[in-house]
Amino acid sequence: MYYALRKGCYIRKIGDFGYIKSSGLFNDLAFDKSGQVFLSCLSRTPKSLEQLSEEIASSFVDITAEDILYDVKEFCDNLVNDGYVVCGETYREANDNNVGFNYSEVKQINLEEDYTPKNFRSETSTQEVLDEYFNSNPYLSNFQIELTSRCNERCIHCYIPHEYKNTDISPDLYYNVLDQLQEMGTLGVTLSGGEPMAHSQFKEFLLAAKEKDFYVHVLTNLTLLDDDIVRIMKRGNVCGVQTSLYSMIPEHHDTITAVKGSFEKTKAAILKLIGNNIPVQINCPVMKANKDDVADVIKWGHSHKIRVNVDYAIMAEYDHRTDNLANRLSPEECRDVIRSIIECDETYRDDISKLDAAAVNKYDYDPNAPFCGVAINTACMVSNGNVYPCPGWQSYICGNLYEKSLSEIWFDSDEIKQLRALKRGDMKKCFSCKNKAFCSPCPGRFANESPTGNPMEVAEHFCAVAAVNKQVVLGYLKNNK
């Protein structure tokens, strides 16, 4: 029997454990030190069971290939069943079976955690392993690269001030950053903008990232997608494309992007990607212009086996102006959106039906836990070389890649160290809040909304939305149990 790492699956060694991640199906697994040795011997080129056993045995003392042949077969067969590995009776059969992600294999939609009371979801053992390791051993697992700040849309809610959208990354800087990420063992690279496809060398950049075997995501409005880009995405086996779809009513979508015809282009591009088995995710930021359209977007996405992430908490612009928040929903309008999600989404209803109302009211979290993965396992850069904690928090500069290496910034910058020192318990108001099970305090969102850029200055809007979220969910539980 021959085994090969499936297209769209990626392996990394993180500390003493092994990690494997699958694109499209959004699965991942972590293995202990011994499992890491097994995992590391898999490759995209098919290997026989005997060859794998010999390679693995060489890493252990007083163990022969014959001794572990059964264990290797069981390990590989389990990965085949989970969709991470392909197999065949011959080298050619295993190679021919390696077709990568296919929408026909997607049986159901599992929603992201964005608008559920996420603190009460059952955590996977994989996530527990990663969290425990990253919290004490920061590892840059995912890095977002802004290829250009330029954008062909002018979305009314955007947190990037439009007058700053005028810079392209230089090819030299881009390729240098990829080299640095590879040296640091980074798994995921996200290509973003602005609109990344607006960069004249987007296609070359995309291929370069895939040739270095990164788990590549693209954040794009898809209006510039063409057949050449689709061919490159298929050739490079891009792991995912994320786009925003605001409404199934063209006029509503176009009102938000301020570009007539953008809805039809984005929708057609989504269908083109699906037809080419390129994984797609939809984001649906909700604001006053599309507050009644959420259900239809979710239903349309799910009908095409696409995840739809709903966000009704628009953040202020990163220079602390709040003009764009005129489009943000009031807490009462959020109430209607949450109810709409519950009514139209069966998966979400199943998730909240598992909650225990008494446990929700007593919920507490570890005061020493970080707020999120920022500076723990993620960071980003913009086209001028500045490194930031996350895309929305661009007022907090951690360093510039024309002046320091990414490794120096990640491990040694005072700004990064300050972020790592921030703990959930430091946000006293949030820690004592009775609605905290329905809120994820975000220093970046708070900093943008604060006139002084203070990440610890709680924005009251999010408090009110958390209270509404709790009321709606508990009300649903009361009426349906």
Side-chain angles (χ1 to χ4, degrees), residues 332 334-344 471-472:
E332 283 306 307
C334 289
R335 185 188 302 275
D336 294 336
V337 170
I338 297 167
R339 285 173 173 163
S340 181
I341 294 168
I342 293 174
E343 290 171 4
C344 76
Q471 291 170 8
V472 174

Side-chain angles (χ1 to χ4, degrees), residues 125-137:
S125 58
T126 300
Q127 193 59 51
E128 290 173 355
V129 169
L130 294 177
D131 287 346
E132 182 178 354
Y133 180 81
F134 291 153
N135 288 345
S136 55
N137 302 276

Side-chain angles (χ1 to χ4, degrees), residues 181-195:
L181 290 169
Q182 190 173 47
E183 290 176 7
M184 294 174 71
T186 298
L187 170 66
V189 171
T190 299
L191 305 181
S192 70
E195 170 47 52

Side-chain angles (χ1 to χ4, degrees), residues 3-168:
Y3 297 92
L5 184 65
R6 184 172 183 170
K7 291 180 180 178
C9 292
Y10 298 81
I11 292 172
R12 290 294 188 274
K13 183 178 184 294
I14 304 175
D16 286 335
F17 63 86
Y19 179 71
I20 186 168
K21 185 177 179 70
S22 169
S23 65
L25 301 178
F26 307 99
N27 298 331
D28 63 352
L29 289 172
F31 295 87
D32 62 16
K33 192 172 183 178
S34 296
Q36 189 275 324
V37 175
F38 280 52
L39 195 65
S40 65
C41 290
L42 291 166
S43 73
R44 301 198 185 282
T45 301
K47 295 180 180 180
S48 68
L49 179 60
E50 292 72 21
Q51 180 183 356
L52 286 167
S53 299
E54 289 177 3
E55 292 181 11
I56 293 168
S58 68
S59 297
F60 297 95
V61 178
D62 297 330
I63 293 180
T64 68
E66 290 75 19
D67 293 333
I68 62 171
L69 188 68
Y70 176 82
D71 291 336
V72 175
K73 185 177 189 307
E74 183 179 39
F75 180 85
C76 292
D77 286 343
N78 285 335
L79 289 178
V80 170
N81 291 334
D82 290 337
Y84 298 102
V85 168
V86 295
C87 65
E89 293 290 342
T90 65
Y91 177 101
R92 181 171 182 177
E93 183 181 359
N95 210 42
D96 289 344
N97 288 338
N98 203 352
V99 295
F101 173 79
N102 192 300
Y103 268 99
S104 64
E105 298 179 359
V106 181
K107 295 181 173 59
Q108 67 179 48
I109 296 297
N110 294 314
L111 293 181
E112 296 281 16
E113 300 177 353
D114 295 29
Y115 49 78
T116 61
K118 64 179 68 175
N119 303 303
F120 281 85
R121 283 179 179 261
S122 58
E123 296 291 335
T124 65
S125 58
T126 300
Q127 193 59 51
E128 290 173 355
V129 169
L130 294 177
D131 287 346
E132 182 178 354
Y133 180 81
F134 291 153
N135 288 345
S136 55
N137 302 276
Y139 163 73
L140 187 56
S141 175
N142 294 281
F143 191 67
Q144 182 166 316
I145 304 174
E146 179 191 85
L147 301 183
T148 176
S149 61
R150 293 186 295 115
C151 188
N152 60 333
E153 294 185 337
R154 286 291 180 266
C155 295
I156 58 178
H157 63 293
C158 187
Y159 55 75
I160 302 175
H162 296 313
E163 61 266 31
Y164 299 155
K165 298 178 180 181
N166 53 17
T167 307
D168 292 335

Side-chain angles (χ1 to χ4, degrees), residues 435-464:
N435 302 317
K436 57 179 174 287
F438 293 83
C439 184
S440 293
C442 174
R445 290 181 185 269
F446 295 164
N448 280 14
E449 206 153 330
S450 166
T452 61
N454 181 2
M456 307 303 285
E457 183 180 334
V458 177
E460 298 292 335
H461 172 82
F462 300 103
C463 304

